[in-house]
Amino acid sequence: MAAPFDHTDKSSWYFGQMSRQDATDLLMEEKEGGVFLVRDSISIHGDYVLCVREDSKVSHYIINKIQQNEQIKYRIGDQMFDDIPKLLAFYKLHYLDTTPLIRPAPRKIEKVIAKYDFKGSDQDDLPFRKGDVLVIVSKDEDQWWTAKNCLGQTGSIPVPYVQKYDGNESIPDSTVQLPETHSPSGSQAEPARRPNVQRKLPAMAKVKQARVPNAYDKTALKLEVGEIIKVTKMNINGQWEGELKGKTGHFPFTHVEFIDSES
């Protein structure tokens, strides 16, 4: 009989950017085998890793994102799936090494407290006031995380505006001394904005920086300065997807600029 967890509930099993060691430490705290999580691959952008507690160890299974004609497939070992939920459903019923998948790992609740006011400038931002306590939902980028406030509202927050909160911290007056570079509104200068994911796609962009991808990364595009690429998807992690010279693949958004000046 299949395990009771919902393999279609991505929020329960997808942990995003997470180091191998952090995943191992989290899963080693579990007593039973079959507890798992899915994280981003550190070595290959676009790939994933299925981390599973098995006996007295944690196994890390690479999930390769494969482009087949016009379709994306996900490969683990010699098995191929249309998407990750179908992969997880399969391993509810089949053993990996020593166990099938039983349940996702529990998430540790991580809280931060605001050091400054943040009004927000994007519709995806989560405004807050100094002293507000927020729950971290995901760490999408180094400088921008997704968080939830006490009202259950979710959005993006700038990391330099907050600090770790364990329940006893307060924000001393010295903390709110503004750095030399600050905005006219009286709060800390925002970190560099993440790409505008609201732009209408597909859109044409010009390559401004050459890139030769890792030979093992079959889904990455090779870029030459001046080439025109059709951007088809803008992921918040900065790895965009597009079409160039008849090939579909991913590339860093920092290497291109849109041809038209859409505001």
XYZ file of all heavy atoms in Angstrom, residues 1-8 12-13 27 30-38 50-55 61 87-106:
384
model
N 0.850 -1.201 0.000
C 0.000 0.000 0.000
C 0.881 1.245 0.000
O 1.882 1.301 0.701
C -0.914 -0.003 1.229
C -1.857 1.196 1.292
S -2.940 1.094 2.747
C -3.827 2.629 2.560
N 0.492 2.225 -0.781
C 1.306 3.433 -0.896
C 1.318 4.217 0.413
O 0.369 4.189 1.182
C 0.778 4.325 -2.018
N 2.411 4.916 0.640
C 2.530 5.763 1.825
C 1.510 6.900 1.724
O 1.104 7.297 0.641
C 3.945 6.315 1.926
N 1.063 7.447 2.864
C -0.035 8.416 2.856
C 0.335 9.831 2.433
O -0.537 10.647 2.229
C -0.485 8.407 4.325
C 0.738 8.026 5.098
C 1.455 7.044 4.219
N 1.617 10.165 2.293
C 1.950 11.556 1.962
C 1.467 11.919 0.550
O 1.341 11.069 -0.328
C 3.455 11.823 2.119
C 4.319 11.291 1.006
C 4.563 12.034 -0.137
C 4.919 10.040 1.103
C 5.362 11.554 -1.162
C 5.723 9.545 0.083
C 5.946 10.307 -1.051
N 1.190 13.198 0.358
C 0.690 13.699 -0.921
C 1.871 14.083 -1.817
O 2.513 15.104 -1.602
C -0.211 14.909 -0.679
C -0.831 15.461 -1.964
O -0.562 14.898 -3.043
O -1.574 16.467 -1.874
N 2.145 13.266 -2.821
C 3.299 13.522 -3.687
C 3.097 14.734 -4.586
O 4.042 15.236 -5.180
C 3.608 12.279 -4.541
C 2.459 11.845 -5.410
N 1.486 10.992 -4.963
C 2.133 12.150 -6.695
C 0.596 10.776 -5.934
N 0.973 11.478 -6.993
N 1.851 15.231 -4.703
C 1.599 16.423 -5.518
C 1.788 17.719 -4.725
O 1.775 18.802 -5.310
C 0.170 16.401 -6.097
O -0.783 16.479 -5.020
C -0.071 15.125 -6.891
N 5.483 20.445 0.612
C 5.794 19.531 1.712
C 7.145 18.850 1.546
O 7.803 18.518 2.541
C 4.699 18.469 1.851
O 4.735 17.556 0.752
N 7.585 18.648 0.294
C 8.824 17.885 0.090
C 9.945 18.655 -0.609
O 11.096 18.226 -0.584
C 8.557 16.596 -0.693
C 7.695 16.726 -1.917
C 6.374 16.405 -2.018
C 8.075 17.193 -3.232
N 5.903 16.649 -3.301
C 6.921 17.117 -4.062
C 9.265 17.648 -3.777
C 6.936 17.485 -5.400
C 9.285 18.033 -5.112
C 8.133 17.943 -5.900
N 17.935 14.975 8.055
C 17.371 13.631 7.933
C 17.928 12.664 8.977
O 17.246 11.715 9.374
C 17.614 13.098 6.520
C 16.796 13.807 5.430
C 17.281 13.407 4.048
C 15.309 13.486 5.579
N 15.896 12.057 12.071
C 14.720 11.189 11.989
C 15.078 9.757 12.382
O 16.164 9.281 12.075
C 14.131 11.219 10.573
C 13.688 12.596 10.127
C 12.597 13.158 11.027
O 11.633 12.426 11.324
O 12.725 14.322 11.445
N 14.149 9.080 13.048
C 14.411 7.724 13.561
C 14.101 6.636 12.541
O 14.697 5.561 12.569
C 13.587 7.477 14.832
C 13.844 8.499 15.949
C 15.302 8.520 16.367
C 15.522 9.513 17.512
N 16.947 9.644 17.851
N 13.162 6.912 11.632
C 12.735 5.867 10.698
C 13.290 6.088 9.295
O 13.548 7.210 8.879
C 11.208 5.794 10.646
C 10.545 7.060 10.123
C 9.036 6.950 10.064
O 8.531 5.838 9.817
O 8.366 7.978 10.254
N 13.469 4.999 8.580
C 13.886 5.083 7.198
C 12.722 5.500 6.310
O 11.555 5.339 6.675
N 13.053 6.049 5.137
C 12.020 6.455 4.199
C 11.613 7.910 4.304
O 10.827 8.406 3.493
N 12.154 8.624 5.304
C 11.908 10.061 5.399
C 12.796 10.745 4.357
O 13.970 10.397 4.201
C 12.223 10.594 6.811
C 11.912 12.085 6.891
C 11.416 9.825 7.859
N 12.264 11.716 3.633
C 12.991 12.250 2.483
C 12.731 13.736 2.287
O 11.846 14.338 2.901
C 12.584 11.502 1.208
C 11.204 11.869 0.729
C 11.026 12.813 -0.282
C 10.070 11.288 1.296
C 9.755 13.173 -0.721
C 8.800 11.648 0.863
C 8.635 12.581 -0.150
N 13.494 14.320 1.375
C 13.255 15.678 0.882
C 13.875 15.784 -0.506
O 14.729 14.983 -0.887
C 13.830 16.735 1.829
C 15.353 16.744 2.074
C 16.104 17.582 1.028
C 15.656 17.290 3.459
N 13.444 16.775 -1.267
C 14.022 17.078 -2.573
C 14.637 18.475 -2.493
O 13.998 19.413 -2.017
C 12.968 17.029 -3.692
C 13.575 17.447 -5.028
C 12.368 15.631 -3.795
N 17.267 13.859 -4.629
C 16.353 13.195 -3.699
C 17.181 12.660 -2.541
O 18.033 11.791 -2.738
C 15.607 12.061 -4.404
C 14.730 11.161 -3.515
C 13.633 11.978 -2.820
C 14.125 10.038 -4.351
N 16.962 13.198 -1.349
C 17.722 12.814 -0.155
C 16.829 11.953 0.737
O 15.723 12.380 1.096
C 18.188 14.046 0.609
S 19.026 15.277 -0.421
N 17.305 10.768 1.092
C 16.471 9.797 1.809
C 17.223 9.199 2.989
O 18.392 8.808 2.859
C 16.026 8.652 0.865
C 15.014 7.755 1.569
C 15.443 9.200 -0.425
N 16.558 9.109 4.122
C 17.105 8.409 5.294
C 16.953 6.917 5.052
O 15.845 6.406 4.906
C 16.325 8.832 6.548
C 16.759 8.113 7.837
C 18.053 8.701 8.339
N 18.178 8.628 9.783
C 18.808 7.677 10.458
N 19.375 6.675 9.800
N 18.886 7.715 11.769
N 18.074 6.210 4.963
C 18.066 4.767 4.732
C 18.964 4.088 5.765
O 20.164 4.343 5.804
C 18.550 4.446 3.319
C 17.638 5.003 2.231
C 17.938 4.425 0.860
O 17.412 3.356 0.551
O 18.703 5.056 0.111
N 18.375 3.227 6.581
C 19.126 2.555 7.655
C 19.864 3.592 8.500
O 19.244 4.487 9.047
C 20.093 1.513 7.074
C 19.347 0.335 6.461
O 18.187 0.117 6.857
O 19.914 -0.330 5.581
N 20.272 10.948 -4.132
C 20.077 10.461 -5.501
C 19.887 11.648 -6.445
O 18.943 12.428 -6.284
C 18.845 9.550 -5.581
C 18.932 8.310 -4.717
C 18.376 8.290 -3.440
C 19.550 7.149 -5.185
C 18.439 7.150 -2.650
C 19.617 6.001 -4.401
C 19.063 6.015 -3.133
O 19.121 4.880 -2.353
N 7.639 10.778 -10.080
C 8.817 10.064 -9.584
C 8.617 9.655 -8.132
O 8.878 8.498 -7.749
C 10.045 10.962 -9.745
C 11.426 10.433 -9.338
C 12.501 11.184 -10.118
C 11.704 10.600 -7.839
N 8.128 10.586 -7.322
C 7.910 10.295 -5.908
C 6.809 9.249 -5.717
O 6.901 8.380 -4.840
C 7.557 11.577 -5.154
C 8.621 12.682 -5.175
C 8.128 13.900 -4.415
C 9.939 12.190 -4.595
N 5.763 9.338 -6.550
C 4.672 8.351 -6.467
C 5.194 6.949 -6.759
O 4.785 5.969 -6.115
C 3.554 8.727 -7.438
N 6.111 6.844 -7.721
C 6.703 5.548 -8.072
C 7.469 4.968 -6.886
O 7.349 3.784 -6.561
C 7.634 5.718 -9.273
C 8.333 4.454 -9.696
C 7.711 3.541 -10.535
C 9.620 4.182 -9.270
C 8.356 2.378 -10.938
C 10.284 3.021 -9.660
C 9.648 2.115 -10.494
N 8.233 5.831 -6.206
C 9.066 5.334 -5.098
C 8.319 5.272 -3.772
O 8.903 4.925 -2.751
C 10.351 6.160 -4.987
C 11.329 5.775 -6.073
C 11.593 6.631 -7.137
C 11.957 4.525 -6.062
C 12.473 6.258 -8.156
C 12.816 4.150 -7.061
C 13.075 5.012 -8.110
O 13.933 4.641 -9.120
N 7.026 5.563 -3.789
C 6.179 5.173 -2.664
C 6.019 3.650 -2.649
O 5.905 3.026 -1.599
C 4.779 5.789 -2.802
C 4.612 7.221 -2.376
C 3.128 7.565 -2.474
C 2.825 8.983 -2.075
N 1.363 9.258 -2.118
N 5.999 3.089 -3.848
C 5.704 1.658 -4.015
C 6.940 0.815 -4.280
O 6.891 -0.407 -4.176
C 4.720 1.476 -5.179
C 3.370 2.178 -5.027
C 2.602 2.136 -6.334
C 2.574 1.531 -3.908
N 8.045 1.443 -4.653
C 9.261 0.712 -4.994
C 10.418 1.159 -4.103
O 10.513 2.329 -3.731
C 9.628 0.945 -6.467
C 8.575 0.470 -7.423
N 7.448 1.204 -7.708
C 8.488 -0.668 -8.155
C 6.703 0.536 -8.588
N 7.309 -0.596 -8.867
N 11.299 0.239 -3.806
C 12.451 0.546 -2.969
C 13.487 1.343 -3.751
O 13.675 1.137 -4.951
C 13.097 -0.738 -2.459
C 12.425 -1.321 -1.234
C 11.069 -1.623 -1.224
C 13.148 -1.551 -0.072
C 10.454 -2.160 -0.100
C 12.555 -2.083 1.062
C 11.192 -2.371 1.034
O 10.593 -2.885 2.162
N 14.153 2.241 -3.069
C 15.344 2.888 -3.609
C 16.512 1.938 -3.361
O 16.796 1.079 -4.180
C 15.554 4.251 -2.947
C 14.536 5.303 -3.412
C 14.179 6.239 -2.286
C 15.079 6.069 -4.597
N 17.150 2.046 -2.204
C 18.182 1.069 -1.817
C 17.592 0.107 -0.798
O 17.477 -1.096 -1.034
C 19.400 1.796 -1.244
C 20.530 0.828 -0.891
O 20.412 -0.366 -1.220
O 21.513 1.272 -0.297
N 17.157 0.660 0.328
C 16.643 -0.201 1.401
C 15.217 0.127 1.809
O 14.653 -0.543 2.667
C 17.537 -0.068 2.654
O 17.466 1.281 3.137
C 18.978 -0.414 2.341
N 14.609 1.154 1.197
C 13.279 1.580 1.656
C 12.531 2.327 0.560
O 13.154 2.967 -0.289
C 13.411 2.502 2.887
O 12.112 2.929 3.301
C 14.251 3.726 2.577
N 11.196 2.256 0.574
C 10.418 3.185 -0.255
C 10.313 4.527 0.470
O 10.776 4.669 1.607
C 9.043 2.496 -0.346
C 8.935 1.743 0.950
C 10.339 1.288 1.273
N 9.708 5.501 -0.179
C 9.500 6.803 0.449
C 8.297 6.726 1.397
O 7.232 6.261 1.004
C 9.274 7.880 -0.603
C 10.404 8.074 -1.620
C 10.013 9.145 -2.639
C 11.712 8.443 -0.930
N 8.496 7.192 2.635
C 7.445 7.099 3.646
C 6.761 8.444 3.875
O 5.544 8.558 3.841
C 8.017 6.585 4.987
C 8.694 5.224 4.779
C 6.917 6.495 6.041
C 7.777 4.140 4.249
N 7.557 9.490 4.107
C 6.992 10.811 4.361
C 8.072 11.873 4.175
O 9.256 11.589 4.329
C 6.413 10.910 5.775
C 7.429 10.689 6.877
C 6.823 10.891 8.261
N 7.740 10.504 9.326
C 8.695 11.288 9.816
N 8.863 12.516 9.332
N 9.477 10.863 10.804
N 7.682 13.106 3.851
C 8.665 14.196 3.753
C 9.227 14.540 5.125
O 8.565 14.353 6.152
C 7.852 15.371 3.190
C 6.623 14.763 2.613
C 6.341 13.555 3.437
N 10.437 15.056 5.131
C 11.054 15.499 6.384
C 10.290 16.701 6.928
O 9.797 17.525 6.163
C 12.513 15.870 6.147
N 10.192 16.804 8.248
C 9.537 17.986 8.823
C 10.398 19.223 8.619
O 11.623 19.145 8.634
C 9.422 17.629 10.318
C 10.533 16.652 10.559
C 10.668 15.866 9.281
